[in-house]
Structure formats: structure tokens, C-alpha cells
């Protein structure tokens, strides 16, 4: 009997977000612009605009651009409550009736209640079970869990441990992130009970990404997951990124050396960081009295947006930072969003069909088929 395995890709995620496939494009700073969201949406996925890094005077135009190109508001907006224009993001998501918002350090119950009243779904991203439970308490409609394999600021719990923990603890749909780039990964997540997958690095590594060619080339060429590692050197928090000369230099320096690198970076881009001579001397004096390592992290944290723009916008990968999931080392080529999403869906259907076929044949025969399929 022929089975329609595409039906297995219809999940609570596709039903509630209104997309064809259970695949989410996450909001990567200076990457997830209107064009990437448009390409994702047209290919059948669900995309989030990176509201945290789009200029306040441009966010509304980006939202309108996606609506005009896709014919609706079936996409989302990501923001953080600590950003200066957080209230603007909240208002725009409600005004344009966007399907969802995503966030890390999330809004309070009152703000979430506003979203729910307007029909905007709240989908926070968490890296630990306790954070998932707190998000549910505040009113989250779905949860995206990101395992430690994921890029940027990330937790320390692998996806294969975190996903079952959260699935067992919550009743809302759970979306798996951290290490996904293929249809096999989607099939595995669905088989485990997830409603779909969310990917950042994989969408960054597409021909629809705005990332400069020189920087994209660095992502494509990395072929060792150990070269996409966590560092605490930038701001004292777990930050997964691709190794480059800037990070190597920062990590090899002592506390005072890191302070000097941080001050040099702040001064080099003083127009963006606001660093003045008097401010720089004041920071240096503070470091001499206190802990130079801690002071350097404070300065580097302020520098971080500039360092990200240096690599992700201006195209100088050795002079900034390269946030990435370890999955970058398993990709090796660029595809369009359409090629990517359709390929993931087709491979996931095939994997699920192979799994289903085991029900109707002896175990040894099914195993032999699986070996042949892998070969």
C-alpha cells in the first residue's frame, strides 16, 4: 500500500504558523533580513526577522517588504526586551498581525498577554529545562530548544539530551534547534516528538543570505566541528563561533592583554562605540584598581555589535567574530532557500518511509535495506 509520508510533515508547527514544512529560519543578527525571510517563506518554511539588529527606523519598512512580497504576515519578528526599541517591536508585531514573535530574554506576562490577545504566537528560545519551564509559566505558545551545538550565545546541554527533557516536561509544541541541517535531522526530531526544527547557520549558508562572500567563504571552508567552538573570551558568556585570528589572539592574551585588545578595538571603531580618550584612560585606571579581566569583558561586550558587523556586514572575517553552530562543518556548500527546504523535506519523507517500512518486514531484512540505503 502506498503511503503519503508528506502528511507526517504536517505538525502543530505547520498548522499554527501556517507554513508548508516544519522548518524555521531563526533570527540571526545582521543576517535575517527581509530578503532571507521572503525566500524562506516562499520555499515553504517560516522565517523570523532579526529585529534586534535592524535599525529602529527601518524595521517597519522590512516588515512591509515581507508582507508585500509574500502576500501576508506569516512570518515572525525576533527581539529582546533589553534593546532600546523593544516597545516599538512589540507594537509593530501587533499592528501588522505577525504570526509570531521569538525572543531569548523575554517579555513579562503583561506583554505576552498583549501578544496573545492580538493572536501573535510567543516562541521563546531556551537552552535549559528550567528556562523552558519558566517560559511556559509566562505564557509561551511553543518552545524552541537550542542544544549546545548551536551558534552564538548557547547553553551547554546537547540537543539529544535537552530535547527529550523538555518534551517530557511541557505540553506545548517543542521545536528542536542546534545541529540541524538535513532531512535526516528533521526526521529524527519528528520521531522524537518535536513539532519541527529551527536552523540558523544553515540559512546563513544559503545564496539568499546577505552575508558578504568573503565571510561566507570562511563558513563554507570550515570542515572540522572542533574549529567551531565555545569561547568565553568575548564577553564572559558561552559564545560558539568559528576560530579566527582575532579570537585566537584574544584567548591567548592575559587579563591585561585582553584589556588592551578590547580598548584598541573600541578606539579603532570609536565612532560606533563612543570611545573617547578620557573614557579610555578612565577604563584603564579602573582596570588597574580592579580586575582587568572583568573590565576587558565589559568593554568587549560593548564592542561586540561592531565586531559582528565587521565580519557579517563589512566582510572582514579575520577582524570580527563569526558566530556559528558546529553544523557549519557538515555543510560545505551554498544552496538557495528553496533548494534547501525542498531537499530537507524530501529526505525527511524518505527517512520516515524507511522507518515505516520496518513495520511490514522481518527485522533482519529491514536492517539490510537500511545498510544499502546508507551505502
Amino acid at each position: 500500500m502506498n503511503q503519503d509520508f508528506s502528511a507526517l510533515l504536517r505538525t502543530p508547527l505547520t498548522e499554527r504558523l501556517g507554513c508548508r514544512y516544519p522548518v524555521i529560519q531563526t533570527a540571526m543578527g545582521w543576517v535575517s533580513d527581509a530578503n532571507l525571510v521572503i525566500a524562506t517563506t516562499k520555499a515553504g518554511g517560516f522565517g523570523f526577522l532579526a529585529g534586534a539588529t535592524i535599525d529602529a527606523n527601518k524595521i517597519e519598512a522590512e516588515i512591509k517588504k515581507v508582507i508585500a512580497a509574500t502576500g501576508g504576515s506569516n512570518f515572525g519578528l525576533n527581539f529582546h526586551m533589553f534593546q532600546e526599541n523593544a516597545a516599538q517591536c512589540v507594537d509593530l508585531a501587533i499592528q501588522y498581525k505577525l504570526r509570531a514573535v521569538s525572543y531569548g530574554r523575554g517579555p513579562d506576562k503583561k506583554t505576552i498577554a498583549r501578544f496573545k490577545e492580538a493572536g501573535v504566537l510567543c516562541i521563546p528560545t531556551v537552552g535549559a529545562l528550567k528556562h523552558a519551564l519558566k517560559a511556559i509559566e509566562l505564557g509561551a505558545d511553543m518552545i524552541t530548544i537550542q542544544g549546545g551545538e548551536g551558534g552564538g550565545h548557547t547553553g551547554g546541554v546537547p540537543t539529544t539530551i535537552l530535547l527529550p527533557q523538555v518534551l517530557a516536561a511541557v505540553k506545548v509544541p517543542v521545536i528542536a534547534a542546534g545541529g540541524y541541517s538535513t532531512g535526516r535531522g528533521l526526521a529524527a526530531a519528528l520521531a522524537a516528538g518535536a513539532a519541527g526544527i529551527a536552523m540558523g547557520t544553515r540559512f546563513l549558508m544559503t545564496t539568499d543570505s546577505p552575508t558578504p562572500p568573503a565571510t561566507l567563504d570562511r563558513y563554507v571552508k570550515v570542515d572540522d566541528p572542533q574549529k567551531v567552538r565555545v569561547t568565553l573570551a568575548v564577553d564572559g558568556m558561552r559564545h560558539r563561533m568559528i576560530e579566527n585570528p582575532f579570537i585566537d589572539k584574544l584567548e591567548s592574551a592575559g587579563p591585561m592583554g585582553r584589556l588592551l585588545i578590547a580598548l584598541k578595538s573600541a578606539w579603532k571603531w570609536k565612532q560606533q562605540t563612543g570611545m573617547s580618550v578620557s573614557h579610555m584612560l578612565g577604563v584603564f585606571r579602573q582596570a588597574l584598581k580592579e580586575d582587568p579581566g572583568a573590565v576587558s569583558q565589559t568593554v568587549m561586550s560593548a564592542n561586540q555589535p561592531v565586531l559582528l558587523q565587521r565580519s557579517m556586514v563589512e566582510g572582514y572575517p579575520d577582524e570580527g567574530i563569526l558566530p556559528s553552530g558546529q553544523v557549519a562543518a557538515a555543510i560545505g556548500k551554498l544552496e538557495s532557500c528553496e533548494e534547501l527546504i525542498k531537499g530537507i523535506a524530501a529526505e525527511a519523507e524518505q527517512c520516515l518511509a524507511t522507518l515505516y517500512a520496518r513495520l511490514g518486514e522481518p527485522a533482519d531484512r529491514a536492517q539490510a535495506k537500511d545498510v544499502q540505503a546508507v551505502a
Side-chain angles (χ1 to χ4, degrees), residues 4-326:
D4 179 14
F5 290 98
S6 65
L8 295 177
L9 301 187
R10 293 196 288 272
T11 73
L13 184 155
T14 59
E15 291 171 6
R16 301 191 71 180
L17 295 183
C19 51
R20 182 174 182 183
Y21 302 114
V23 176
I24 287 178
Q25 164 248 306
T26 62
M28 299 158 283
W30 290 283
V31 175
S32 299
D33 62 2
N35 291 331
L36 184 60
V37 173
I38 289 167
T40 299
T41 304
K42 288 185 173 181
F46 188 90
F48 280 98
L49 283 171
T53 56
I54 299 173
D55 290 344
N57 60 355
K58 295 180 180 178
I59 290 183
E60 186 169 12
E62 289 284 283
I63 290 172
K64 288 181 176 180
K65 183 176 180 178
V66 179
I67 292 173
T70 62
S73 55
N74 267 22
F75 62 96
L77 179 65
N78 173 268
F79 69 98
H80 304 293
M81 286 305 291
F82 58 79
Q83 68 189 71
E84 290 184 7
N85 65 323
Q88 177 199 28
C89 291
V90 172
D91 292 341
L92 288 173
I94 292 172
Q95 177 184 340
Y96 287 96
K97 296 180 170 54
L98 302 188
R99 186 57 65 99
V101 291
S102 66
Y103 45 85
R105 301 177 193 179
D108 56 22
K109 278 188 175 182
K110 182 178 178 181
T111 304
I112 290 175
R114 283 187 64 199
F115 283 132
K116 296 172 91 66
E117 185 179 350
V120 179
L121 297 172
C122 295
I123 311 178
T125 297
V126 302
L129 175 59
K130 63 181 180 180
H131 298 149
L133 296 176
K134 181 63 177 178
I136 294 296
E137 180 187 328
L138 290 172
D141 297 292
M142 301 186 199
I143 295 283
T144 298
I145 64 98
Q146 176 174 304
E149 304 95 321
H153 286 111
T154 192
V157 184
T159 304
T160 50
I161 295 175
L162 183 59
L163 179 59
Q165 279 186 323
V166 176
L167 283 168
V170 305
K171 298 188 183 303
V172 302
V174 177
I175 302 152
Y180 293 99
S181 67
T182 65
R184 288 178 184 270
L186 173 57
L190 295 177
I197 58 173
M199 304 185 297
T201 301
R202 189 63 191 92
F203 278 102
L204 183 157
M205 295 174 67
T206 63
T207 56
D208 296 298
S209 166
T211 306
T215 301
L216 272 178
D217 185 62
R218 185 63 57 85
Y219 279 83
V220 172
K221 285 183 176 176
V222 67
D223 59 4
D224 181 358
Q226 298 303 313
K227 298 293 184 182
V228 189
R229 56 183 178 78
V230 169
T231 180
L232 304 178
V234 176
D235 58 7
M237 300 173 67
R238 289 177 53 87
H239 206 159
R240 187 177 295 284
M241 58 189 68
I242 296 173
E243 283 185 353
N244 70 352
F246 180 81
I247 291 300
D248 290 343
K249 182 179 179 181
L250 194 62
E251 289 186 328
S252 63
M256 188 57 72
R258 289 186 185 182
L259 175 64
L260 293 175
I261 292 171
L263 289 173
K264 183 179 178 181
S265 296
W267 180 252
K268 185 175 182 179
W269 297 297
K270 55 183 177 293
Q271 286 187 327
Q272 294 98 318
T273 62
M275 179 65 74
S276 64
V277 174
S278 60
H279 185 197
M280 185 165 60
L281 292 174
V283 170
F284 190 74
R285 284 194 296 268
Q286 179 187 356
L288 292 176
K289 294 178 182 178
E290 301 174 13
D291 177 4
V295 175
S296 71
Q297 287 180 350
T298 300
V299 177
M300 285 302 298
S301 182
N303 289 349
Q304 190 170 179
V306 178
L307 294 170
L308 281 165
Q309 289 180 75
R310 190 67 175 158
S311 55
M312 308 310 292
V313 178
E314 298 171 19
Y316 296 95
D318 288 342
E319 298 180 21
I321 55 180
L322 302 166
S324 175
Q326 286 185 295

